[in-house]
Structures are given as C-alpha cells and as structure tokens.
Short mmCIF file of all heavy atoms in Angstrom, two decimals:
data_model
loop_
_atom_site.label_atom_id
_atom_site.label_comp_id
_atom_site.label_asym_id
_atom_site.label_seq_id
_atom_site.Cartn_x
_atom_site.Cartn_y
_atom_site.Cartn_z
N MET A 1 30.35 -119.35 9.03
CA MET A 1 28.93 -119.37 9.39
C MET A 1 28.08 -119.12 8.14
O MET A 1 27.08 -119.81 7.92
CB MET A 1 28.62 -118.33 10.46
CG MET A 1 27.15 -118.25 10.83
SD MET A 1 26.79 -117.03 12.12
CE MET A 1 27.49 -117.89 13.54
N ALA A 2 28.47 -118.16 7.34
CA ALA A 2 27.71 -117.86 6.13
C ALA A 2 27.64 -119.09 5.22
O ALA A 2 26.61 -119.35 4.58
CB ALA A 2 28.34 -116.69 5.40
N GLY A 3 28.71 -119.88 5.19
CA GLY A 3 28.72 -121.07 4.35
C GLY A 3 27.77 -122.15 4.83
O GLY A 3 27.41 -123.05 4.05
N SER A 4 27.35 -122.07 6.09
CA SER A 4 26.42 -123.06 6.63
C SER A 4 24.97 -122.77 6.25
O SER A 4 24.08 -123.59 6.50
CB SER A 4 26.54 -123.13 8.16
OG SER A 4 27.82 -123.64 8.53
N PHE A 5 24.72 -121.62 5.66
CA PHE A 5 23.39 -121.33 5.10
C PHE A 5 23.33 -121.99 3.73
O PHE A 5 23.40 -121.34 2.69
CB PHE A 5 23.17 -119.82 4.99
CG PHE A 5 22.88 -119.12 6.29
CD1 PHE A 5 23.90 -118.87 7.21
CD2 PHE A 5 21.60 -118.71 6.59
CE1 PHE A 5 23.64 -118.23 8.41
CE2 PHE A 5 21.33 -118.06 7.79
CZ PHE A 5 22.35 -117.83 8.71
N ASP A 6 23.21 -123.31 3.75
CA ASP A 6 23.38 -124.08 2.50
C ASP A 6 22.16 -124.90 2.11
O ASP A 6 22.21 -125.68 1.14
CB ASP A 6 24.60 -125.00 2.63
CG ASP A 6 24.49 -125.96 3.83
OD1 ASP A 6 23.42 -125.98 4.49
OD2 ASP A 6 25.47 -126.68 4.10
N GLY A 7 21.09 -124.77 2.88
CA GLY A 7 19.88 -125.53 2.54
C GLY A 7 19.97 -127.00 2.85
O GLY A 7 19.11 -127.78 2.42
N SER A 8 20.95 -127.42 3.62
CA SER A 8 21.09 -128.83 3.98
C SER A 8 19.98 -129.23 4.95
O SER A 8 19.32 -128.37 5.55
CB SER A 8 22.46 -129.06 4.62
OG SER A 8 22.64 -128.26 5.76
N PRO A 9 19.75 -130.54 5.14
CA PRO A 9 18.70 -130.99 6.06
C PRO A 9 18.89 -130.38 7.46
O PRO A 9 20.01 -130.40 8.00
CB PRO A 9 18.87 -132.51 6.08
CG PRO A 9 19.46 -132.82 4.74
CD PRO A 9 20.39 -131.67 4.43
N TYR A 10 17.82 -129.83 8.02
CA TYR A 10 17.79 -129.21 9.35
C TYR A 10 18.59 -127.92 9.42
O TYR A 10 18.74 -127.34 10.50
CB TYR A 10 18.28 -130.19 10.42
CG TYR A 10 17.57 -131.50 10.41
CD1 TYR A 10 18.23 -132.65 9.97
CD2 TYR A 10 16.24 -131.61 10.80
CE1 TYR A 10 17.56 -133.87 9.93
CE2 TYR A 10 15.57 -132.82 10.77
CZ TYR A 10 16.24 -133.95 10.32
OH TYR A 10 15.58 -135.16 10.28
N GLY A 11 19.11 -127.45 8.29
CA GLY A 11 19.88 -126.21 8.28
C GLY A 11 19.09 -125.06 7.66
O GLY A 11 18.00 -125.26 7.13
N PRO A 12 19.64 -123.86 7.71
CA PRO A 12 18.94 -122.71 7.14
C PRO A 12 19.04 -122.68 5.62
O PRO A 12 20.00 -123.19 5.02
CB PRO A 12 19.68 -121.52 7.76
CG PRO A 12 21.06 -122.03 8.02
CD PRO A 12 20.92 -123.48 8.36
N ALA A 13 18.06 -122.05 4.99
CA ALA A 13 18.04 -121.91 3.54
C ALA A 13 19.21 -121.03 3.09
O ALA A 13 19.73 -120.21 3.86
CB ALA A 13 16.72 -121.29 3.10
N PRO A 14 19.64 -121.22 1.83
CA PRO A 14 20.72 -120.36 1.32
C PRO A 14 20.37 -118.89 1.41
O PRO A 14 19.19 -118.50 1.40
CB PRO A 14 20.85 -120.82 -0.14
CG PRO A 14 20.32 -122.22 -0.15
CD PRO A 14 19.21 -122.23 0.85
N ILE A 15 21.39 -118.05 1.51
CA ILE A 15 21.20 -116.61 1.63
C ILE A 15 20.82 -116.04 0.27
O ILE A 15 21.53 -116.23 -0.72
CB ILE A 15 22.48 -115.93 2.15
CG1 ILE A 15 22.87 -116.52 3.52
CG2 ILE A 15 22.29 -114.42 2.25
CD1 ILE A 15 24.22 -116.06 4.03
N ALA A 16 19.69 -115.35 0.24
CA ALA A 16 19.23 -114.75 -1.01
C ALA A 16 19.94 -113.43 -1.25
O ALA A 16 20.40 -112.76 -0.32
CB ALA A 16 17.72 -114.53 -0.95
N GLU A 17 20.04 -113.06 -2.51
CA GLU A 17 20.67 -111.79 -2.86
C GLU A 17 19.89 -110.63 -2.23
O GLU A 17 18.66 -110.58 -2.31
CB GLU A 17 20.72 -111.63 -4.38
CG GLU A 17 21.51 -110.42 -4.84
CD GLU A 17 21.65 -110.36 -6.34
OE1 GLU A 17 21.22 -111.33 -7.01
OE2 GLU A 17 22.18 -109.35 -6.84
N ASP A 18 20.60 -109.73 -1.58
CA ASP A 18 19.99 -108.54 -0.95
C ASP A 18 19.00 -108.90 0.16
O ASP A 18 18.10 -108.12 0.47
CB ASP A 18 19.29 -107.66 -2.00
CG ASP A 18 20.27 -107.12 -3.03
OD1 ASP A 18 21.42 -106.86 -2.66
OD2 ASP A 18 19.88 -106.98 -4.20
N GLU A 19 19.16 -110.07 0.78
CA GLU A 19 18.28 -110.43 1.89
C GLU A 19 18.54 -109.48 3.07
O GLU A 19 19.69 -109.19 3.40
CB GLU A 19 18.54 -111.87 2.31
CG GLU A 19 17.53 -112.40 3.32
CD GLU A 19 17.67 -113.90 3.55
OE1 GLU A 19 18.45 -114.56 2.80
OE2 GLU A 19 17.02 -114.41 4.48
N PRO A 20 17.49 -108.97 3.71
CA PRO A 20 17.68 -107.97 4.77
C PRO A 20 18.38 -108.54 6.01
O PRO A 20 18.22 -109.71 6.35
CB PRO A 20 16.26 -107.53 5.10
CG PRO A 20 15.40 -108.67 4.67
CD PRO A 20 16.07 -109.25 3.47
N ARG A 21 19.17 -107.69 6.61
CA ARG A 21 19.85 -108.00 7.87
C ARG A 21 19.29 -107.12 8.98
O ARG A 21 18.81 -106.02 8.74
CB ARG A 21 21.35 -107.70 7.78
CG ARG A 21 22.21 -108.84 7.27
CD ARG A 21 22.05 -109.13 5.83
NE ARG A 21 23.14 -109.97 5.32
CZ ARG A 21 23.09 -110.59 4.17
NH1 ARG A 21 22.01 -110.51 3.39
NH2 ARG A 21 24.13 -111.32 3.77
N ALA A 22 19.40 -107.60 10.21
CA ALA A 22 19.02 -106.79 11.35
C ALA A 22 20.05 -105.68 11.55
O ALA A 22 21.23 -105.84 11.22
CB ALA A 22 18.95 -107.66 12.61
N GLU A 23 19.61 -104.55 12.07
CA GLU A 23 20.51 -103.43 12.31
C GLU A 23 21.41 -103.73 13.50
O GLU A 23 20.95 -104.25 14.53
CB GLU A 23 19.72 -102.16 12.57
CG GLU A 23 18.96 -101.65 11.36
CD GLU A 23 18.31 -100.31 11.64
OE1 GLU A 23 18.99 -99.28 11.45
OE2 GLU A 23 17.15 -100.30 12.06
N THR A 24 22.67 -103.41 13.36
CA THR A 24 23.65 -103.67 14.42
C THR A 24 23.99 -102.39 15.17
O THR A 24 23.71 -101.28 14.70
CB THR A 24 24.92 -104.29 13.84
OG1 THR A 24 25.52 -103.37 12.93
CG2 THR A 24 24.60 -105.59 13.10
N GLY A 25 24.59 -102.54 16.33
CA GLY A 25 25.01 -101.38 17.10
C GLY A 25 24.68 -101.55 18.57
O GLY A 25 24.12 -102.55 19.01
N LEU A 26 25.02 -100.53 19.36
CA LEU A 26 24.83 -100.58 20.80
C LEU A 26 23.35 -100.62 21.16
O LEU A 26 22.92 -101.45 21.97
CB LEU A 26 25.49 -99.37 21.45
CG LEU A 26 25.28 -99.20 22.95
CD1 LEU A 26 25.80 -100.41 23.72
CD2 LEU A 26 25.96 -97.93 23.45
N ALA A 27 22.57 -99.73 20.59
CA ALA A 27 21.14 -99.64 20.89
C ALA A 27 20.50 -98.70 19.89
O ALA A 27 21.19 -97.96 19.18
CB ALA A 27 20.91 -99.14 22.32
N ALA A 28 19.18 -98.72 19.82
CA ALA A 28 18.47 -97.78 18.96
C ALA A 28 18.81 -96.36 19.39
O ALA A 28 18.99 -96.07 20.57
CB ALA A 28 16.97 -98.03 19.05
N GLN A 29 18.88 -95.44 18.42
CA GLN A 29 19.31 -94.07 18.72
C GLN A 29 18.39 -93.40 19.74
O GLN A 29 18.86 -92.65 20.61
CB GLN A 29 19.34 -93.24 17.44
CG GLN A 29 19.98 -91.87 17.62
CD GLN A 29 21.40 -91.95 18.13
OE1 GLN A 29 22.21 -92.73 17.63
NE2 GLN A 29 21.73 -91.15 19.15
N ALA A 30 17.11 -93.69 19.68
CA ALA A 30 16.19 -93.09 20.65
C ALA A 30 16.53 -93.50 22.07
O ALA A 30 16.34 -92.71 23.01
CB ALA A 30 14.75 -93.48 20.32
N LEU A 31 17.07 -94.69 22.24
CA LEU A 31 17.48 -95.16 23.56
C LEU A 31 18.82 -94.54 23.95
O LEU A 31 19.01 -94.11 25.09
CB LEU A 31 17.54 -96.68 23.57
CG LEU A 31 17.93 -97.38 24.87
CD1 LEU A 31 17.11 -96.87 26.04
CD2 LEU A 31 17.78 -98.89 24.73
N VAL A 32 19.74 -94.49 23.02
CA VAL A 32 21.04 -93.88 23.29
C VAL A 32 20.87 -92.43 23.74
O VAL A 32 21.58 -91.93 24.62
CB VAL A 32 21.94 -93.97 22.05
CG1 VAL A 32 23.23 -93.15 22.24
CG2 VAL A 32 22.28 -95.42 21.73
N ASP A 33 19.90 -91.74 23.15
CA ASP A 33 19.67 -90.33 23.49
C ASP A 33 19.25 -90.14 24.95
O ASP A 33 19.33 -89.03 25.48
CB ASP A 33 18.59 -89.74 22.58
CG ASP A 33 19.06 -89.59 21.14
OD1 ASP A 33 20.29 -89.60 20.91
OD2 ASP A 33 18.20 -89.46 20.25
N LEU A 34 18.80 -91.21 25.60
CA LEU A 34 18.36 -91.13 26.99
C LEU A 34 19.50 -91.35 27.99
O LEU A 34 19.32 -91.15 29.19
CB LEU A 34 17.27 -92.17 27.27
CG LEU A 34 15.98 -92.04 26.47
CD1 LEU A 34 15.05 -93.21 26.78
CD2 LEU A 34 15.29 -90.72 26.76
N PHE A 35 20.67 -91.76 27.50
CA PHE A 35 21.78 -92.06 28.41
C PHE A 35 22.16 -90.84 29.24
O PHE A 35 22.03 -89.68 28.79
CB PHE A 35 23.02 -92.51 27.62
CG PHE A 35 22.93 -93.87 27.00
CD1 PHE A 35 23.95 -94.33 26.17
CD2 PHE A 35 21.84 -94.70 27.20
CE1 PHE A 35 23.88 -95.58 25.58
CE2 PHE A 35 21.76 -95.94 26.62
CZ PHE A 35 22.79 -96.38 25.80
#
C-alpha cells in the first residue's frame, strides 16, 4: 500500500518525510476512561 503512494495519475502523492499520521488505537483515552 505504501508503494502505491507514487504520484501516479489519479493516485495519492508520494509520502513526504515525517508526514503526520493519524493516531491509532481503540479510542481516545478520554473515552476509554468512561468504560
């Protein structure tokens, strides 16, 4: 999948160095604290 970030027509732009990622996990900690 990472290799498909290649800037090809109709595809996503190449991955920039240190480009931010979304945070992963079950849920935000404030929500987990409510379980």
Side-chain angles (χ1 to χ4, degrees):
M1 177 179 287
S4 293
F5 285 76
D6 57 6
S8 58
Y10 307 109
I15 302 172
E17 187 175 355
D18 298 326
E19 189 171 351
R21 271 71 165 166
E23 292 186 87
T24 62
L26 175 59
Q29 189 59 46
L31 181 50
V32 172
D33 291 342
L34 298 176
F35 289 174

